Amino acid sequence: MCIFSQPVSHVAATKIFARVEGGEQLLAYEMELAALGDVAMVLPLPVEPGHGEAGLRFIDLSGYPGFFDDLRSAFPEPISGQAFGASRAVQHLVVHQVGDFEASFVPSLADFGRLEPRFVVAPEIWQRLPQYRDFGFAVFKLRGEKQGFWQSLGFGRRRAAETKKVHPMALAFRTRAPAELFFPTVHVHSGRVEERAAFDHELYCQARRAPAGWFSASKPVGSHEAGKSQGLLSASAGCFRLVKTGLHENADVIVKPPPRGVATRAEHPEALELVVSQPVVGGALTSFDNVVRNVLGRLNEELRALHQRHVAGWIGSSTVLFDFDAAGGQPLRVDVESDYDDRAFVAELEQLARTVVLPPLPGSGVGSVELRVGLGFVPRSPVPGAT
């Protein structure tokens, strides 16, 4: 979820969105919170060093409180007061008014001394989290429930804090790892760093490829939603979702590009078959996956012949990534990633992919398609070599 400067009564229904564009990671964060008194929420971020306070910019989503509601609707139902400041002896950090929040960017651990002391995380917490020693930190001031005068002195029954949903907090930072998506999910809610923590998270991302284990949206993120999102959303990119609940390792979630595989020689090449995945469709093509599947299915014989000419007898796969103009059906961009170290094969596969043309479809915009194809074992009876 995140790190709090003071204990909080309740945190739940955390939602995080991430996307990388042009060296920046865009991030949005929402949750339900109950706290007694004001508290600071701290998000450690892998900011590229050397930019100081210019390494991060805040984005005001107060005009789009339904940001995550719109993202959620793109997926089918699953089966299962005072500004930040330090003493006048130091140069204070810039305070940004971001919708309902006051926010500051702390470029390094050493700069936490420039915040008001009650919003500073205890040093022993950072000692338990050495992975953040060279991170930057987004700090949001959240308003909690106020106690009455006598309760603040320790007399009478303390009133339970009311759970509130806050509008999404959003920012963009210069990332040191533009090929990755970083989700700040380490929990520090009661002044302790536990090895395992209870997760109640919905994670969303837009990416060139579908991350392993994430579900693809069943309808596109529209240009209307993208226009309201202050640049957070792309109307052309695919959208993916991961639900993480229950006890898990208390760690951040990092989505990395899949490592490139290496094709291997098959002991029984006669048992190899062409394996073609279902295409993963996003953007303006999300509602037309059946059309895309039918068009790509016509390539199977050509794909089989291409593999026979170049890589027969080798187990491996290739991923073809398309961007299509939905209205015209023309491929705007084609990329190929392959396990096969055969330049002629990869060049012919890309050339074949560029011949794919979709029929004109209702609507407009750019859609993405991911197709995985290769040679592998298809279970059948008997399989040569099986005992």
Side-chain angles (χ1 to χ4, degrees):
M1 292 181 182
C2 51
I3 297 171
F4 291 98
S5 61
Q6 303 292 332
V8 295
S9 304
H10 174 74
V11 182
T14 301
K15 300 175 181 65
I16 309 175
F17 168 84
R19 182 170 75 89
V20 168
E21 181 176 307
E24 278 191 328
Q25 178 174 320
L26 306 164
L27 187 76
Y29 197 106
E30 181 185 273
M31 64 189 169
E32 294 178 355
L33 174 71
L36 292 172
D38 294 348
V39 63
M41 186 189 78
V42 181
L43 298 179
L45 303 168
V47 179
E48 184 180 56
H51 295 283
E53 289 188 63
L56 180 147
R57 59 186 176 91
F58 292 99
I59 299 171
D60 185 357
L61 277 188
S62 59
Y64 193 6
F67 175 83
F68 282 103
D69 294 333
D70 285 349
L71 282 182
R72 180 66 185 85
S73 70
F75 292 81
E77 287 296 327
I79 299 176
S80 58
Q82 180 180 358
F84 288 122
S87 73
R88 293 189 173 89
V90 297
Q91 183 180 5
H92 65 273
L93 293 168
V94 175
V95 177
H96 305 266
Q97 190 68 43
V98 189
D100 294 342
F101 313 109
E102 292 174 348
S104 288
F105 174 52
V106 183
S108 69
L109 284 173
D111 290 302
F112 267 100
R114 299 161 64 189
L115 284 178
E116 187 177 345
R118 64 193 175 113
F119 294 124
V120 175
V121 177
E124 54 267 26
I125 296 294
W126 300 123
Q127 293 173 7
R128 294 285 307 278
L129 299 168
Q131 67 267 34
Y132 300 142
R133 61 184 177 275
D134 61 347
F135 271 39
F137 306 86
V139 182
F140 292 87
K141 178 182 176 182
L142 308 177
R143 298 191 180 279
E145 289 289 309
K146 300 297 185 183
Q147 293 290 339
F149 175 74
W150 291 109
Q151 285 80 12
S152 67
L153 296 178
F155 299 102
R157 179 178 297 177
R158 294 175 63 85
R159 185 174 71 249
E162 178 185 353
T163 298
K164 298 178 180 179
K165 178 181 176 181
V166 297
H167 76 67
M169 295 161 272
L171 53 88
F173 64 92
R174 299 296 304 180
T175 176
R176 67 185 66 177
E180 301 176 358
L181 291 173
F182 178 84
F183 293 83
T185 54
V186 162
H187 298 47
V188 180
H189 296 170
S190 302
R192 299 188 305 273
V193 182
E194 307 288 352
E195 291 186 5
R196 294 176 65 81
F199 280 69
D200 180 17
H201 286 56
E202 293 179 21
L203 306 181
Y204 296 88
C205 75
Q206 288 189 294
R208 180 79 171 136
R209 297 187 57 174
W214 292 55
F215 286 94
S216 179
S218 58
K219 67 178 184 180
V221 173
S223 57
H224 178 64
E225 290 80 5
K228 293 192 298 180
S229 72
Q230 307 294 322
L232 283 167
L233 295 175
S234 166
S236 62
C239 190
F240 309 100
R241 177 175 181 256
L242 176 70
V243 176
K244 189 170 185 177
T245 58
L247 283 175
H248 294 274
E249 178 187 2
N250 191 8
D252 296 312
V253 173
I254 302 175
V255 177
K256 298 182 178 182
R260 178 182 172 184
V262 178
T264 58
R265 173 76 72 175
E267 294 184 11
H268 300 281
E270 68 278 8
L272 293 181
E273 292 281 358
L274 182 72
V275 179
V276 182
S277 71
Q278 296 285 3
V280 178
V281 182
L285 298 178
T286 301
S287 302
F288 305 101
D289 55 338
N290 286 332
V291 175
V292 175
R293 188 179 304 123
N294 290 335
V295 171
L296 294 178
R298 301 168 194 164
L299 296 178
N300 283 2
E301 290 306 316
E302 293 177 86
L303 289 169
R304 184 173 285 106
L306 177 60
H307 284 78
Q308 184 64 33
R309 287 197 304 273
H310 291 280
V311 294
W314 289 82
I315 302 171
S317 66
S318 306
T319 300
V320 185
L321 303 167
F322 301 86
D323 284 340
F324 282 101
D325 171 34
Q330 299 295 324
L332 303 176
R333 175 182 174 187
V334 175
D335 292 326
V336 174
E337 301 171 1
S338 182
D339 299 345
Y340 300 107
D341 190 16
D342 185 319
R343 293 184 180 179
F345 166 74
V346 173
E348 283 193 43
L349 179 58
E350 181 176 338
Q351 183 178 2
L352 176 61
R354 291 186 182 279
T355 67
V356 177
V357 177
L358 301 179
L361 299 170
S364 60
V366 177
S368 61
V369 177
E370 176 185 329
L371 180 70
R372 191 172 179 86
V373 59
L375 294 177
F377 289 109
V378 176
R380 55 184 175 178
S381 181
V383 175
T387 58

mmCIF file of all heavy atoms in Angstrom, residues 78-116:
data_model
loop_
_atom_site.group_PDB
_atom_site.id
_atom_site.type_symbol
_atom_site.label_atom_id
_atom_site.label_comp_id
_atom_site.label_asym_id
_atom_site.label_seq_id
_atom_site.Cartn_x
_atom_site.Cartn_y
_atom_site.Cartn_z
ATOM 1 N N PRO A 78 -14.703 -10.503 -12.207
ATOM 2 C CA PRO A 78 -13.921 -11.720 -12.018
ATOM 3 C C PRO A 78 -14.785 -12.863 -11.538
ATOM 4 O O PRO A 78 -15.792 -12.646 -10.860
ATOM 5 C CB PRO A 78 -12.886 -11.329 -10.954
ATOM 6 C CG PRO A 78 -13.540 -10.221 -10.194
ATOM 7 C CD PRO A 78 -14.395 -9.477 -11.195
ATOM 8 N N ILE A 79 -14.347 -13.980 -11.840
ATOM 9 C CA ILE A 79 -15.032 -15.154 -11.313
ATOM 10 C C ILE A 79 -14.812 -15.190 -9.814
ATOM 11 O O ILE A 79 -15.662 -15.588 -9.050
ATOM 12 C CB ILE A 79 -14.525 -16.430 -12.018
ATOM 13 C CG1 ILE A 79 -14.824 -16.338 -13.514
ATOM 14 C CG2 ILE A 79 -15.138 -17.690 -11.437
ATOM 15 C CD1 ILE A 79 -14.296 -17.485 -14.336
ATOM 16 N N SER A 80 -13.815 -15.169 -9.473
ATOM 17 C CA SER A 80 -13.562 -15.063 -8.037
ATOM 18 C C SER A 80 -13.217 -13.489 -7.628
ATOM 19 O O SER A 80 -12.582 -12.900 -8.352
ATOM 20 C CB SER A 80 -12.467 -16.051 -7.654
ATOM 21 O OG SER A 80 -11.292 -15.817 -8.383
ATOM 22 N N GLY A 81 -4.574 21.688 6.409
ATOM 23 C CA GLY A 81 -4.453 23.054 6.841
ATOM 24 C C GLY A 81 -3.072 23.662 6.768
ATOM 25 O O GLY A 81 -2.870 24.615 6.098
ATOM 26 N N GLN A 82 -1.973 23.104 7.473
ATOM 27 C CA GLN A 82 -0.655 23.770 7.460
ATOM 28 C C GLN A 82 0.176 23.078 6.418
ATOM 29 O O GLN A 82 0.182 21.866 6.319
ATOM 30 C CB GLN A 82 0.038 23.680 8.833
ATOM 31 C CG GLN A 82 1.409 24.357 8.850
ATOM 32 C CD GLN A 82 2.058 24.254 10.223
ATOM 33 O OE1 GLN A 82 1.485 23.719 11.144
ATOM 34 N NE2 GLN A 82 3.257 24.784 10.354
ATOM 35 N N ALA A 83 0.846 23.837 5.604
ATOM 36 C CA ALA A 83 1.643 23.264 4.538
ATOM 37 C C ALA A 83 2.864 22.577 5.120
ATOM 38 O O ALA A 83 3.291 22.842 6.236
ATOM 39 C CB ALA A 83 2.081 24.368 3.561
ATOM 40 N N PHE A 84 3.425 21.693 4.299
ATOM 41 C CA PHE A 84 4.677 21.077 4.716
ATOM 42 C C PHE A 84 5.721 22.171 4.893
ATOM 43 O O PHE A 84 5.801 23.106 4.123
ATOM 44 C CB PHE A 84 5.178 20.096 3.655
ATOM 45 C CG PHE A 84 4.379 18.827 3.560
ATOM 46 C CD1 PHE A 84 3.785 18.465 2.374
ATOM 47 C CD2 PHE A 84 4.231 17.993 4.659
ATOM 48 C CE1 PHE A 84 3.063 17.304 2.264
ATOM 49 C CE2 PHE A 84 3.513 16.840 4.563
ATOM 50 C CZ PHE A 84 2.917 16.480 3.363
ATOM 51 N N GLY A 85 6.571 22.001 5.850
ATOM 52 C CA GLY A 85 7.656 22.947 6.040
ATOM 53 C C GLY A 85 8.554 22.467 7.149
ATOM 54 O O GLY A 85 8.157 21.649 7.960
ATOM 55 N N ALA A 86 9.757 22.921 7.202
ATOM 56 C CA ALA A 86 10.691 22.554 8.264
ATOM 57 C C ALA A 86 11.036 23.823 9.021
ATOM 58 O O ALA A 86 10.423 24.863 8.843
ATOM 59 C CB ALA A 86 11.935 21.904 7.656
ATOM 60 N N SER A 87 12.036 23.722 9.888
ATOM 61 C CA SER A 87 12.427 24.916 10.638
ATOM 62 C C SER A 87 12.981 25.950 9.668
ATOM 63 O O SER A 87 13.431 25.625 8.576
ATOM 64 C CB SER A 87 13.504 24.546 11.662
ATOM 65 O OG SER A 87 14.730 24.295 11.020
ATOM 66 N N ARG A 88 12.946 27.188 10.076
ATOM 67 C CA ARG A 88 13.416 28.241 9.186
ATOM 68 C C ARG A 88 14.923 28.191 8.980
ATOM 69 O O ARG A 88 15.456 28.928 8.176
ATOM 70 C CB ARG A 88 13.003 29.598 9.746
ATOM 71 C CG ARG A 88 11.502 29.814 9.728
ATOM 72 C CD ARG A 88 11.162 31.247 10.085
ATOM 73 N NE ARG A 88 9.759 31.541 9.922
ATOM 74 C CZ ARG A 88 8.858 31.377 10.871
ATOM 75 N NH1 ARG A 88 9.231 30.921 12.054
ATOM 76 N NH2 ARG A 88 7.591 31.661 10.651
ATOM 77 N N ALA A 89 15.612 27.294 9.682
ATOM 78 C CA ALA A 89 17.071 27.208 9.539
ATOM 79 C C ALA A 89 17.460 26.456 8.277
ATOM 80 O O ALA A 89 18.599 26.493 7.867
ATOM 81 C CB ALA A 89 17.682 26.511 10.751
ATOM 82 N N VAL A 90 16.511 25.739 7.645
ATOM 83 C CA VAL A 90 16.832 24.994 6.437
ATOM 84 C C VAL A 90 15.914 25.453 5.325
ATOM 85 O O VAL A 90 14.834 26.000 5.552
ATOM 86 C CB VAL A 90 16.660 23.472 6.662
ATOM 87 C CG1 VAL A 90 17.611 22.973 7.721
ATOM 88 C CG2 VAL A 90 15.230 23.131 7.025
ATOM 89 N N GLN A 91 16.340 25.205 4.097
ATOM 90 C CA GLN A 91 15.523 25.558 2.949
ATOM 91 C C GLN A 91 14.393 24.544 2.819
ATOM 92 O O GLN A 91 14.631 23.358 2.654
ATOM 93 C CB GLN A 91 16.377 25.570 1.681
ATOM 94 C CG GLN A 91 15.599 25.994 0.447
ATOM 95 C CD GLN A 91 16.470 25.995 -0.796
ATOM 96 O OE1 GLN A 91 17.630 25.598 -0.734
ATOM 97 N NE2 GLN A 91 15.915 26.435 -1.909
ATOM 98 N N HIS A 92 13.149 25.000 2.903
ATOM 99 C CA HIS A 92 12.032 24.068 2.903
ATOM 100 C C HIS A 92 11.783 23.539 1.489
ATOM 101 O O HIS A 92 12.141 24.150 0.490
ATOM 102 C CB HIS A 92 10.774 24.745 3.454
ATOM 103 C CG HIS A 92 10.267 25.869 2.596
ATOM 104 N ND1 HIS A 92 10.710 27.151 2.722
ATOM 105 C CD2 HIS A 92 9.350 25.869 1.599
ATOM 106 C CE1 HIS A 92 10.097 27.910 1.833
ATOM 107 N NE2 HIS A 92 9.267 27.160 1.135
ATOM 108 N N LEU A 93 11.134 22.391 1.447
ATOM 109 C CA LEU A 93 10.744 21.800 0.181
ATOM 110 C C LEU A 93 9.533 22.526 -0.384
ATOM 111 O O LEU A 93 8.705 23.059 0.351
ATOM 112 C CB LEU A 93 10.407 20.316 0.366
ATOM 113 C CG LEU A 93 11.587 19.414 0.743
ATOM 114 C CD1 LEU A 93 11.088 18.055 1.191
ATOM 115 C CD2 LEU A 93 12.541 19.269 -0.427
ATOM 116 N N VAL A 94 9.431 22.539 -1.698
ATOM 117 C CA VAL A 94 8.291 23.174 -2.344
ATOM 118 C C VAL A 94 7.023 22.399 -2.001
ATOM 119 O O VAL A 94 7.007 21.167 -2.017
ATOM 120 C CB VAL A 94 8.494 23.219 -3.869
ATOM 121 C CG1 VAL A 94 7.252 23.773 -4.561
ATOM 122 C CG2 VAL A 94 9.714 24.053 -4.212
ATOM 123 N N VAL A 95 5.968 23.126 -1.663
ATOM 124 C CA VAL A 95 4.675 22.516 -1.357
ATOM 125 C C VAL A 95 3.747 22.749 -2.544
ATOM 126 O O VAL A 95 3.629 23.855 -3.041
ATOM 127 C CB VAL A 95 4.056 23.131 -0.086
ATOM 128 C CG1 VAL A 95 2.678 22.542 0.177
ATOM 129 C CG2 VAL A 95 4.981 22.914 1.099
ATOM 130 N N HIS A 96 3.125 21.670 -3.012
ATOM 131 C CA HIS A 96 2.214 21.739 -4.146
ATOM 132 C C HIS A 96 0.799 21.485 -3.652
ATOM 133 O O HIS A 96 0.561 20.526 -2.903
ATOM 134 C CB HIS A 96 2.589 20.692 -5.202
ATOM 135 C CG HIS A 96 3.999 20.774 -5.672
ATOM 136 N ND1 HIS A 96 4.380 21.487 -6.791
ATOM 137 C CD2 HIS A 96 5.148 20.227 -5.163
ATOM 138 C CE1 HIS A 96 5.692 21.382 -6.969
ATOM 139 N NE2 HIS A 96 6.178 20.621 -5.984
ATOM 140 N N GLN A 97 -0.143 22.321 -4.061
ATOM 141 C CA GLN A 97 -1.551 22.062 -3.793
ATOM 142 C C GLN A 97 -2.084 21.229 -4.945
ATOM 143 O O GLN A 97 -2.180 21.697 -6.080
ATOM 144 C CB GLN A 97 -2.329 23.368 -3.659
ATOM 145 C CG GLN A 97 -3.754 23.169 -3.152
ATOM 146 C CD GLN A 97 -3.801 22.699 -1.702
ATOM 147 O OE1 GLN A 97 -3.059 23.211 -0.857
ATOM 148 N NE2 GLN A 97 -4.647 21.719 -1.424
ATOM 149 N N VAL A 98 -2.393 19.955 -4.678
ATOM 150 C CA VAL A 98 -2.806 19.020 -5.711
ATOM 151 C C VAL A 98 -4.210 18.543 -5.366
ATOM 152 O O VAL A 98 -4.380 17.570 -4.624
ATOM 153 C CB VAL A 98 -1.838 17.822 -5.811
ATOM 154 C CG1 VAL A 98 -2.163 16.975 -7.035
ATOM 155 C CG2 VAL A 98 -0.388 18.289 -5.861
ATOM 156 N N GLY A 99 -5.221 19.245 -5.864
ATOM 157 C CA GLY A 99 -6.584 18.889 -5.497
ATOM 158 C C GLY A 99 -6.790 19.056 -4.007
ATOM 159 O O GLY A 99 -6.554 20.123 -3.441
ATOM 160 N N ASP A 100 -7.210 17.985 -3.335
ATOM 161 C CA ASP A 100 -7.479 18.033 -1.901
ATOM 162 C C ASP A 100 -6.231 17.848 -1.053
ATOM 163 O O ASP A 100 -6.321 17.835 0.177
ATOM 164 C CB ASP A 100 -8.491 16.940 -1.518
ATOM 165 C CG ASP A 100 -9.854 17.195 -2.126
ATOM 166 O OD1 ASP A 100 -10.114 18.340 -2.537
ATOM 167 O OD2 ASP A 100 -10.655 16.238 -2.195
ATOM 168 N N PHE A 101 -5.074 17.688 -1.681
ATOM 169 C CA PHE A 101 -3.865 17.354 -0.934
ATOM 170 C C PHE A 101 -2.835 18.473 -1.011
ATOM 171 O O PHE A 101 -2.808 19.262 -1.952
ATOM 172 C CB PHE A 101 -3.206 16.081 -1.489
ATOM 173 C CG PHE A 101 -4.159 14.950 -1.711
ATOM 174 C CD1 PHE A 101 -4.496 14.554 -2.991
ATOM 175 C CD2 PHE A 101 -4.720 14.279 -0.645
ATOM 176 C CE1 PHE A 101 -5.377 13.520 -3.205
ATOM 177 C CE2 PHE A 101 -5.596 13.246 -0.835
ATOM 178 C CZ PHE A 101 -5.934 12.856 -2.118
ATOM 179 N N GLU A 102 -1.966 18.489 -0.005
ATOM 180 C CA GLU A 102 -0.705 19.204 -0.098
ATOM 181 C C GLU A 102 0.369 18.141 -0.291
ATOM 182 O O GLU A 102 0.346 17.102 0.381
ATOM 183 C CB GLU A 102 -0.440 20.021 1.162
ATOM 184 C CG GLU A 102 -1.410 21.192 1.313
ATOM 185 C CD GLU A 102 -1.234 21.908 2.629
ATOM 186 O OE1 GLU A 102 -0.527 21.359 3.513
ATOM 187 O OE2 GLU A 102 -1.793 22.996 2.797
ATOM 188 N N ALA A 103 1.283 18.383 -1.199
ATOM 189 C CA ALA A 103 2.263 17.358 -1.548
ATOM 190 C C ALA A 103 3.628 17.980 -1.739
ATOM 191 O O ALA A 103 3.758 19.137 -2.150
ATOM 192 C CB ALA A 103 1.834 16.623 -2.824
ATOM 193 N N SER A 104 4.644 17.200 -1.434
ATOM 194 C CA SER A 104 6.030 17.602 -1.667
ATOM 195 C C SER A 104 6.807 16.418 -2.219
ATOM 196 O O SER A 104 6.467 15.259 -1.952
ATOM 197 C CB SER A 104 6.696 18.087 -0.372
ATOM 198 O OG SER A 104 6.201 19.341 0.029
ATOM 199 N N PHE A 105 7.830 16.731 -2.984
ATOM 200 C CA PHE A 105 8.744 15.702 -3.456
ATOM 201 C C PHE A 105 10.030 15.800 -2.673
ATOM 202 O O PHE A 105 10.653 16.859 -2.606
ATOM 203 C CB PHE A 105 9.030 15.860 -4.948
ATOM 204 C CG PHE A 105 10.075 14.912 -5.462
ATOM 205 C CD1 PHE A 105 9.974 13.545 -5.235
ATOM 206 C CD2 PHE A 105 11.172 15.376 -6.179
ATOM 207 C CE1 PHE A 105 10.943 12.657 -5.697
ATOM 208 C CE2 PHE A 105 12.138 14.501 -6.659
ATOM 209 C CZ PHE A 105 12.023 13.140 -6.410
ATOM 210 N N VAL A 106 10.412 14.699 -2.023
ATOM 211 C CA VAL A 106 11.647 14.621 -1.242
ATOM 212 C C VAL A 106 12.676 13.895 -2.095
ATOM 213 O O VAL A 106 12.567 12.682 -2.312
ATOM 214 C CB VAL A 106 11.404 13.862 0.077
ATOM 215 C CG1 VAL A 106 12.662 13.834 0.914
ATOM 216 C CG2 VAL A 106 10.262 14.514 0.866
ATOM 217 N N PRO A 107 13.687 14.588 -2.623
ATOM 218 C CA PRO A 107 14.592 13.957 -3.585
ATOM 219 C C PRO A 107 15.439 12.827 -3.014
ATOM 220 O O PRO A 107 15.891 11.958 -3.763
ATOM 221 C CB PRO A 107 15.485 15.126 -4.047
ATOM 222 C CG PRO A 107 14.708 16.359 -3.727
ATOM 223 C CD PRO A 107 13.937 16.031 -2.489
ATOM 224 N N SER A 108 15.678 12.836 -1.689
ATOM 225 C CA SER A 108 16.529 11.803 -1.099
ATOM 226 C C SER A 108 16.181 11.661 0.376
ATOM 227 O O SER A 108 15.496 12.514 0.961
ATOM 228 C CB SER A 108 18.009 12.157 -1.248
ATOM 229 O OG SER A 108 18.348 13.268 -0.421
ATOM 230 N N LEU A 109 16.676 10.583 0.998
ATOM 231 C CA LEU A 109 16.449 10.395 2.431
ATOM 232 C C LEU A 109 16.975 11.569 3.246
ATOM 233 O O LEU A 109 16.375 11.971 4.251
ATOM 234 C CB LEU A 109 17.115 9.093 2.896
ATOM 235 C CG LEU A 109 16.390 7.795 2.537
ATOM 236 C CD1 LEU A 109 17.244 6.585 2.918
ATOM 237 C CD2 LEU A 109 15.043 7.727 3.260
ATOM 238 N N ALA A 110 18.093 12.135 2.819
ATOM 239 C CA ALA A 110 18.690 13.248 3.560
ATOM 240 C C ALA A 110 17.793 14.477 3.580
ATOM 241 O O ALA A 110 17.886 15.314 4.484
ATOM 242 C CB ALA A 110 20.050 13.608 2.954
ATOM 243 N N ASP A 111 16.886 14.581 2.589
ATOM 244 C CA ASP A 111 16.031 15.759 2.499
ATOM 245 C C ASP A 111 14.790 15.670 3.374
ATOM 246 O O ASP A 111 14.012 16.625 3.442
ATOM 247 C CB ASP A 111 15.606 15.976 1.045
ATOM 248 C CG ASP A 111 16.763 16.434 0.173
ATOM 249 O OD1 ASP A 111 17.349 17.470 0.490
ATOM 250 O OD2 ASP A 111 17.075 15.742 -0.811
ATOM 251 N N PHE A 112 14.565 14.535 4.067
ATOM 252 C CA PHE A 112 13.406 14.448 4.940
ATOM 253 C C PHE A 112 13.481 15.452 6.085
ATOM 254 O O PHE A 112 12.463 15.826 6.665
ATOM 255 C CB PHE A 112 13.247 13.029 5.492
ATOM 256 C CG PHE A 112 12.338 12.167 4.665
ATOM 257 C CD1 PHE A 112 12.853 11.260 3.769
ATOM 258 C CD2 PHE A 112 10.957 12.276 4.774
ATOM 259 C CE1 PHE A 112 12.025 10.467 2.990
ATOM 260 C CE2 PHE A 112 10.120 11.504 4.005
ATOM 261 C CZ PHE A 112 10.654 10.593 3.108
ATOM 262 N N GLY A 113 14.672 15.908 6.435
ATOM 263 C CA GLY A 113 14.816 16.918 7.468
ATOM 264 C C GLY A 113 14.207 18.251 7.086
ATOM 265 O O GLY A 113 14.061 19.143 7.932
ATOM 266 N N ARG A 114 13.840 18.409 5.820
ATOM 267 C CA ARG A 114 13.239 19.658 5.359
ATOM 268 C C ARG A 114 11.708 19.626 5.432
ATOM 269 O O ARG A 114 11.048 20.557 4.994
ATOM 270 C CB ARG A 114 13.696 19.931 3.922
ATOM 271 C CG ARG A 114 15.215 20.099 3.803
ATOM 272 C CD ARG A 114 15.695 19.914 2.369
ATOM 273 N NE ARG A 114 15.167 20.936 1.488
ATOM 274 C CZ ARG A 114 15.289 20.898 0.160
ATOM 275 N NH1 ARG A 114 15.898 19.864 -0.416
ATOM 276 N NH2 ARG A 114 14.771 21.863 -0.581
ATOM 277 N N LEU A 115 11.169 18.531 5.969
ATOM 278 C CA LEU A 115 9.728 18.430 6.193
ATOM 279 C C LEU A 115 9.397 18.745 7.645
ATOM 280 O O LEU A 115 10.242 18.622 8.532
ATOM 281 C CB LEU A 115 9.232 17.012 5.878
ATOM 282 C CG LEU A 115 9.086 16.598 4.413
ATOM 283 C CD1 LEU A 115 8.641 15.145 4.336
ATOM 284 C CD2 LEU A 115 8.106 17.496 3.684
ATOM 285 N N GLU A 116 8.148 19.113 7.885
ATOM 286 C CA GLU A 116 7.675 19.287 9.250
ATOM 287 C C GLU A 116 7.870 17.969 10.005
ATOM 288 O O GLU A 116 7.541 16.890 9.479
ATOM 289 C CB GLU A 116 6.194 19.675 9.234
ATOM 290 C CG GLU A 116 5.645 20.040 10.587
ATOM 291 C CD GLU A 116 4.198 20.477 10.503
ATOM 292 O OE1 GLU A 116 3.730 20.765 9.386
ATOM 293 O OE2 GLU A 116 3.553 20.521 11.558
#
